[in-house]
Amino acid sequence: MHVVVLGAGLVGVSSAWHLAAAGHQVTVVDRQAGPALETSYANGGQISTSHAEPWANPQVLSNILRWLGREDSPLLWRLRADPAQWAWGLRFLRECPPARARHNTIAILRLALYSRALLKDLRSVLGLEYDQAQRGILHFYTDQAEFEHAITQADLMREYGCDRVVKSARECLAIEPALADAKVPIVGGTFTADDESGDAHLFARQLAERAATLGVVFRYGCQVAALERRADRIAGVRLAGGASLAGDAYVVALGSYSPLLLRPLGLRLPVYPAKGYSATLAVGDAVAAPKVSLTDDGHKIVFSRLGGRLRVAGTAEFAGYDTALNDTRCRAIVRRTFDIFPGISGCRDIEYWAGLRPATPGNVPLVGATRIGNLFVNTGHGTLGWTMACGTGKLLADLVGRRAPEVDPSPYQAQGSLMA
Ligand SMILES: Cc1cc2nc3c(=O)[nH]c(=O)nc-3n(C[C@H](O)[C@H](O)[C@H](O)COP(=O)(O)OP(=O)(O)OC[C@H]3O[C@@H](n4cnc5c(N)ncnc54)[C@H](O)[C@@H]3O)c2cc1C
């Protein structure tokens, strides 16, 4: 079967790899000049099964009210005259009650664990190198109430196979000695030894190269303009400039832009862009910079050491498709970094970046068939696209090829009913 994959971010490249490995002929189309040049470019770098709790949870509402109107807040809603934003916001609220948050956490965790295992396999079989570090992920807390909430989350995650272990403040400093100089006292943390980190862009580039050796054709610099529908099937992809491309099946992996392509077909994906920022600091071999990948849950930022660089990333801003850098928000993540690691506060070599997470209201991705016969989606990975990309790529390939998937696909398709 000839499968056309739209989008060469982490999710599109992983889908293409797994489809080609299953024997399909694959063409990937992307508007950029290479793979992973949009949201997958400079993310937080974490393969973080321990981060499975979605933003939509019972705690978030009080936090949003507390942060309302603060330009530097970890979560910022910029209310717009945009029906898609309001509809998504209402769905987000419906995902916040404890039972929904628990259900979504478990669905994300299952996929994340599956994906992490596949990533480890792929890395060793293909010999991929992408500044990866297998030192675990430590979530640290500077607020007692946040720490207590994390303890209940860690209990739930251990029940479902993620070995997220609660640690005292002293144990946190032993795991990551660079935390010892923090200006804000650490009250405790949780540690997940099997979680890891690495540069998502480097990974995607290498996986794309390996996919090309399996025969995958990458067509870069091609803007997808529309899907052409004939009766209950997609007949082709129309590119900007008028050319068309035809296949037997089509996979939409356009990240935050997926709903825009599908809306004219009457498919309404509950995906909205959640803008996040990163700052990449050239820290060389500074011992004052952390080596273990860290999550500062209270501030919604993560830290990953990528060779001689420290990537700090996070926060969310619901502001439509604007990717402009906001000075206040850039400064806020760097200020927090220097409060936690004062020993690197002299670092001036900093690269800022912003990307649009393709977020579903409950952060559960959408993987599988749509009600148009040969049209599939693989999108909505939100905060955890790097963590879940290998798993959702394999799941998608199994569903396209009508093979029994290795994970129960229903939680990722149940939301598909919203596509009608
Ligand atoms: C600040 C930040 C930090 C993050 N940290 C982490 C982390 O630590 N761990 C983690 O697991 N996840 C993290 N994420 C999330 C992760 O980066 C995303 O979920 C993931 O990159 C989404 O990948 P994607 O392939 O779906 O989308 P994208 O990478 O955006 O890929 C979509 C592709 O579609 C192409 N495209 C779009 N429209 C068109 C069109 N019309 N025609 C042609 N091509 C088109 C784009 O060029 C792009 O290449 C973070 C995200 C952000 C923003």
Side-chain angles (χ1 to χ4, degrees):
M1 182 168 25
H2 179 203
V3 187
V4 179
V5 176
L6 305 180
L10 279 165
V11 173
V13 170
S14 165
S15 304
W17 164 265
H18 287 291
L19 284 162
H24 300 294
Q25 180 194 343
V26 182
T27 303
V28 181
V29 183
D30 198 288
R31 62 186 170 196
Q32 295 293 341
L37 290 175
E38 296 205 2
T39 307
S40 304
Y41 182 64
N43 67 20
Q46 290 194 329
I47 299 299
S48 183
T49 64
S50 52
H51 209 126
E53 186 188 22
W55 284 329
N57 63 53
Q59 281 69 37
V60 80
L61 297 178
S62 57
N63 279 338
I64 288 179
L65 290 177
R66 185 157 57 93
W67 291 327
L68 212 59
R70 262 183 49 193
E71 192 58 34
D72 63 350
S73 72
L75 283 183
L76 178 64
W77 289 82
R78 289 193 198 282
L79 291 179
R80 295 156 46 87
D82 174 4
Q85 189 197 44
W86 285 80
W88 191 93
L90 287 174
R91 281 180 175 152
F92 179 87
L93 293 178
R94 288 210 294 268
E95 299 301 323
C96 288
R100 288 303 305 157
R102 182 186 161 89
H103 172 273
N104 292 337
T105 302
I106 295 167
I108 294 164
L109 186 58
R110 287 201 166 119
L111 201 45
L113 288 168
Y114 174 59
S115 194
R116 190 183 66 188
L118 285 178
L119 168 71
K120 289 177 194 257
D121 281 356
L122 263 184
R123 177 174 62 228
S124 78
V125 171
L126 300 179
L128 305 176
E129 295 285 341
Y130 48 93
D131 281 336
Q132 68 268 28
Q134 291 136 270
R135 302 191 193 103
I137 291 183
L138 177 68
H139 288 234
F140 67 86
Y141 299 89
T142 54
D143 175 280
Q144 188 62 30
E146 297 260 7
F147 179 39
E148 278 156 25
H149 175 67
I151 294 174
T152 62
Q153 283 301 305
D155 289 346
L156 172 65
M157 291 183 192
R158 280 199 308 281
E159 201 183 316
Y160 285 87
C162 170
D163 199 15
R164 184 176 173 189
V165 181
V166 177
K167 298 287 178 187
S168 67
R170 207 143 54 96
E171 289 171 319
C172 290
L173 303 194
I175 292 167
E176 179 43 76
L179 285 170
D181 297 328
K183 289 186 188 163
V184 211
I186 311 290
V187 297
T190 67
F191 184 60
T192 311
D194 286 336
D195 277 351
E196 48 183 65
S197 56
D199 187 322
H201 172 234
L202 284 183
F203 172 88
R205 256 176 40 195
Q206 290 186 26
L207 191 60
E209 278 164 24
R210 304 306 171 92
T213 66
L214 291 185
V216 175
V217 174
F218 287 89
R219 294 188 55 178
Y220 294 119
C222 293
Q223 173 86 20
V224 175
L227 287 168
E228 290 163 344
R229 182 176 184 169
R230 206 162 298 142
D232 61 348
R233 294 185 69 75
I234 297 299
V237 179
R238 186 153 41 80
L239 303 176
S244 277
L245 178 66
D248 304 305
Y250 300 82
V251 177
V252 175
L254 296 173
S256 294
Y257 298 85
S258 306
L260 306 186
L261 189 73
L262 295 177
R263 200 173 298 155
L265 300 170
L267 300 177
R268 296 199 173 271
L269 281 193
V271 171
Y272 195 78
K275 180 173 171 182
Y277 288 79
S278 74
T280 306
L281 291 75
V283 292
D285 54 5
V287 285
K291 286 207 171 66
V292 172
S293 186
L294 303 170
T295 299
D296 179 359
D297 261 338
H299 281 68
K300 304 249 170 290
I301 55 179
V302 304
F303 303 84
S304 293
R305 188 77 173 257
L306 305 170
R309 301 168 293 155
L310 178 66
R311 172 76 47 75
V312 189
T315 75
E317 188 181 347
F318 295 90
Y321 285 85
D322 171 25
T323 54
L325 290 172
N326 171 306
D327 257 10
T328 309
R329 297 186 72 73
C330 290
R331 275 201 306 272
I333 56 174
V334 170
R335 193 169 52 240
R336 179 69 176 175
T337 305
F338 292 163
D339 279 349
I340 303 292
F341 305 107
I344 54 167
S345 59
C347 178
R348 293 287 169 267
D349 189 352
I350 306 176
E351 239 175 78
Y352 294 101
W353 169 86
L356 302 175
R357 303 176 187 89
T360 60
N363 208 39
V364 178
L366 297 162
V367 190
T370 67
R371 60 189 161 80
I372 299 181
N374 56 347
L375 179 64
F376 296 78
V377 293
N378 192 2
T379 189
H381 294 61
T383 52
L384 288 184
W386 175 206
T387 304
M388 297 192 284
C390 290
T392 55
K394 175 74 166 76
L395 174 60
L396 181 279
D398 286 341
L399 294 170
V400 170
R402 297 186 188 282
R403 286 185 316 192
E406 294 161 328
V407 283
D408 173 9
S410 55
Y412 323 106
Q413 297 176 325
Q415 293 204 11
S417 60
L418 295 170
M419 294 191 283

